[in-house]
Amino acid sequence: MGIATSNQPFKQRVKEAESDQFMRAAIAKAQDAQFVKRTASRRELGHWNEWRDLAEQIRQHVLKYLPDYLEEFADNVEQQGGHVFFAQTEDEAHQFIKELAIAKKAKNIVKSKSMVTTEIDLDKTLLSIPGVNLLESDLAEFILQEDNWDEPAHIVFPTLGKNRDQIQKEFQKLGYDGDNDPQHEARFVRGYLRKYFMNADFGITGCNFAIADNGMINLDTNEGNADLTMAIPKTQVVVMGMERIVPSMKEAEVLDNMLARSAVGQKLTTYCTFTGKQKAGEVDGPEDFWVVIVDDGRSKALGTEFEPILQCIRCGACMNVCPVYRQIGGKAYGSIYPGPLGEVLSPILGGYEQFQELPYACSLCAACTETCPVKIPLQHLIREHRIVEMDDKHMDHSMTNLILKMVGVGTGSPFLFDSALAMAHPGTKLFTDGGPNSVEPMYDGGKIDYVPKAAPKLIHGWIDTRDVPRPPKAKNNFRHWYKHHQPVEPAPIVKKEGGQADE
């Protein structure tokens, strides 16, 4: 399925998400907690906006010279005995890794958390090899795997919508007989994962940042599972999006700081690792080291108005402030990339036909842009997608355009507009009880309570989810008030001695 996680219509996904009260409460709690931690860690660093400027400059510089840095990185990996494969599509990427696993006669594959491997649907591809076992070693991803490959709810906290009882049931399938205490559950799964690690012969990780000038891989985790995935198996495959590159360790240090403080509100993630192929004299690390660099549609954004989305460092901060994500959670987006990030990236990677609703799952409040550590203008890019869908691709086949044209004709004619103002109050009598519905003065004339099912979707989109006050009587509307309003005489100006004026 790749980047898409559901074939259900968007509105159906939203309806299901709205009914999941635990998930919505969990997301609200996480957003509030992350706001406090994120704000504190950024203040502790000091001069946060100057750091954002620097991070933005690093990412934009890399994108400007991306072919050069990719070539430099690949050369340095190969000089150290590693191998690099460039995959233009997700099919090329997962097919190459599948063939490599077969050639290496892999039996026990272990993976650390990676968005790009999920994007290319790598897990299911590898499990199609006869006799191969695969385990996601990140705790949250492991839980999703055990729950029949459930969809992630967040790019940093994939199991955000699950409670301890649900996790207990999944672990019981593996032989867990304890209670639902998170510490007891974690202790059990730690032992389970360690046994698998010791028998792993093929490791797969993602990549936070690839260091161009030395060919090393930078990984940031809070559990240490990526370190074990790199250290124990003899064969190691790193899968990275082609934009996840920095010129040197100096820039990686800056972006690691920005990532940790924005993603989880920490100074630095628990395990910040720089690694590559095993060198002479080392007792662990991969003997056979591969890096698969994936395009999968990213190059379509280069040189366009959407290029800034490639600056993303996958911190998830935009989701942690998004009011829409707070209400519908991650699964409603139907993409492995939810929230504002997904609204911009999903149509680029998966196409407008598959994700045409996502740019409208946004209030354009710009909270995402304000918090982004690399200053991606997310709300502008979301709005740009809307322009493309409406003006370039003409994807709106509803009555919206016709309705808006009718509104334009009506508001452009003084006679029609005045007539509408005069009829607005009596014309809505059938759709309201006529009495005050609230202590708010704006509802003194009542609220519009319902509209016929046959009414256009545009009207239902407002009435069904918002309180709409009934229009006032013609004698009480603003135009009538303004026409008959008498200006208040200004207070006389009295001059004091010394030339100063006093009102």
Side-chain angles (χ1 to χ4, degrees):
M1 188 175 288
I3 187 174
T5 60
S6 174
N7 293 321
Q8 295 179 337
F10 177 68
K11 289 186 177 180
Q12 183 177 342
R13 300 196 304 263
V14 170
K15 187 175 182 180
E16 291 177 1
E18 288 176 336
S19 65
D20 191 340
Q21 297 300 319
F22 174 82
M23 177 272 294
R24 295 175 67 187
I27 288 177
K29 182 179 179 180
Q31 281 191 335
D32 294 343
Q34 283 299 312
F35 179 85
V36 175
K37 294 175 65 178
R38 185 173 61 249
T39 303
S41 66
R42 288 175 172 181
R43 285 177 178 170
E44 189 176 33
L45 181 64
H47 305 287
W48 177 248
N49 281 320
E50 285 81 358
W51 281 98
R52 292 178 73 211
D53 290 338
L54 177 59
E56 179 190 31
Q57 291 166 16
I58 292 171
R59 298 300 293 134
Q60 289 182 347
H61 170 79
V62 167
L63 294 176
K64 184 177 181 180
Y65 300 101
L66 186 58
D68 302 293
Y69 282 120
L70 286 172
E71 183 177 0
E72 180 184 6
F73 170 72
D75 288 345
N76 283 317
V77 170
E78 291 171 354
Q79 285 176 12
Q80 297 173 31
H83 313 278
V84 177
F85 177 79
F86 287 90
Q88 186 173 356
T89 66
E90 67 174 77
D91 289 338
E92 286 183 10
H94 66 226
Q95 189 62 29
F96 173 80
I97 300 170
K98 177 181 179 179
E99 292 174 0
L100 181 62
I102 293 172
K104 293 294 179 179
K105 299 180 180 179
K107 296 299 180 184
N108 296 309
I109 300 175
V110 64
K111 284 179 74 270
S112 67
K113 185 176 180 296
S114 163
M115 294 302 301
V116 72
T117 59
T118 305
E119 177 186 321
I120 65 174
D121 213 12
L122 182 59
D123 288 358
K124 295 178 182 178
T125 300
L126 294 176
L127 285 172
S128 68
I129 304 173
V132 163
N133 300 309
L134 183 144
L135 182 139
E136 288 282 355
S137 61
D138 175 85
L139 177 56
E141 295 286 349
F142 174 74
I143 293 169
L144 294 179
Q145 177 182 353
E146 292 304 310
D147 191 10
N148 196 28
W149 300 97
D150 195 14
E151 305 165 25
H154 192 285
I155 67 171
V156 178
F157 315 108
T159 54
L160 189 55
K162 294 186 180 296
N163 60 40
R164 62 178 69 183
D165 296 322
Q166 291 171 305
I167 295 170
Q168 180 188 20
K169 290 180 181 179
E170 296 304 324
F171 288 175
Q172 286 173 347
K173 301 175 185 177
L174 305 173
Y176 178 63
D177 58 3
D179 57 19
N180 65 353
D181 187 310
Q183 287 189 351
H184 298 160
E185 293 174 341
R187 187 175 297 116
F188 165 79
V189 76
R190 185 184 299 119
Y192 183 91
L193 292 173
R194 284 297 175 101
K195 291 178 182 178
Y196 192 95
F197 270 120
M198 299 311 297
N199 294 313
D201 52 16
F202 196 97
I204 300 173
T205 72
C207 171
N208 290 101
F209 306 107
I211 319 299
D213 70 352
N214 63 18
M216 298 185 75
I217 298 298
N218 178 201
L219 290 168
D220 296 309
T221 67
N222 278 305
E223 299 173 22
N225 57 301
D227 287 10
L228 288 172
T229 303
M230 292 287 290
I232 297 175
K234 298 299 182 183
T235 302
Q236 176 66 38
V237 178
V238 174
V239 189
M240 58 174 278
M242 68 178 192
E243 79 283 9
R244 304 304 295 276
I245 198 162
V246 291
S248 69
M249 297 282 283
K250 179 175 63 176
E251 289 79 18
E253 180 183 357
V254 172
L255 295 179
D256 278 335
N257 248 297
M258 306 300 284
L259 175 62
R261 294 174 192 272
S262 298
V264 289
Q266 297 175 191
K267 294 180 183 178
L268 202 63
T269 44
T270 309
Y271 299 90
C272 183
T273 305
F274 295 86
T275 188
K277 184 181 182 295
Q278 182 183 126
K279 296 181 179 179
E282 293 181 337
V283 296
D284 56 17
E287 297 174 0
D288 194 16
F289 181 73
W290 293 81
V291 180
V292 177
I293 300 176
V294 180
D295 181 341
D296 196 29
R298 287 162 173 77
S299 58
K300 292 187 292 186
L302 289 172
T304 74
E305 61 271 27
F306 296 110
E307 183 175 288
I309 195 61
L310 299 181
Q311 296 169 206
C312 179
I313 59 175
R314 304 294 192 269
C315 66
C318 58
M319 300 166 205
N320 296 336
V321 298
C322 178
V324 177
Y325 177 84
R326 188 183 184 99
Q327 296 301 321
I328 67 175
K331 295 182 180 180
Y333 291 84
S335 168
I336 65 166
Y337 298 112
L341 165 63
E343 290 163 23
V344 179
L345 189 59
S346 299
I348 295 171
L349 300 184
Y352 285 101
E353 290 74 16
Q354 192 168 29
F355 297 108
Q356 69 179 91
E357 299 94 349
L358 292 194
Y360 297 91
C362 174
S363 66
L364 299 179
C365 68
C368 51
T369 298
E370 181 64 25
T371 197
C372 178
V374 290
K375 300 185 72 172
I376 302 172
L378 287 160
Q379 93 276 12
H380 294 301
L381 300 183
I382 292 169
R383 183 174 177 272
E384 192 63 37
H385 273 315
R386 297 183 183 182
I387 293 173
V388 171
E389 289 189 12
M390 292 295 176
D391 295 349
D392 297 345
K393 294 185 175 293
H394 305 289
M395 298 182 71
D396 183 9
H397 302 300
S398 67
M399 294 184 62
T400 303
N401 284 332
L402 176 62
I403 293 171
L404 292 177
K405 286 180 181 179
M406 293 172 61
V407 170
V409 172
T411 56
S413 166
F415 173 75
L416 293 176
F417 188 71
D418 290 339
S419 299
L421 289 178
M423 294 301 298
H425 183 78
T428 55
K429 184 177 181 180
L430 294 174
F431 310 120
T432 179
D433 61 12
N437 299 77
S438 169
V439 295
E440 296 292 335
M442 66 184 297
Y443 297 124
D444 281 349
K447 287 190 298 185
I448 296 177
D449 300 309
Y450 68 94
V451 292
K453 291 184 178 181
K457 291 182 179 179
L458 181 66
I459 296 176
H460 276 286
W462 279 88
I463 303 298
D464 294 349
T465 58
R466 297 170 176 84
D467 287 341
V468 180
R470 186 181 178 190
K473 296 178 180 179
K475 65 178 182 179
N476 296 330
N477 67 29
F478 175 78
R479 286 186 167 231
H480 183 275
W481 174 87
Y482 187 81
K483 183 177 180 179
H484 296 87
H485 178 66
Q486 297 297 322
V488 177
E489 290 291 334
I493 299 176
V494 180
K495 288 189 175 181
K496 295 182 178 180
E497 292 183 6
Q500 293 182 345
D502 188 16
E503 295 184 4

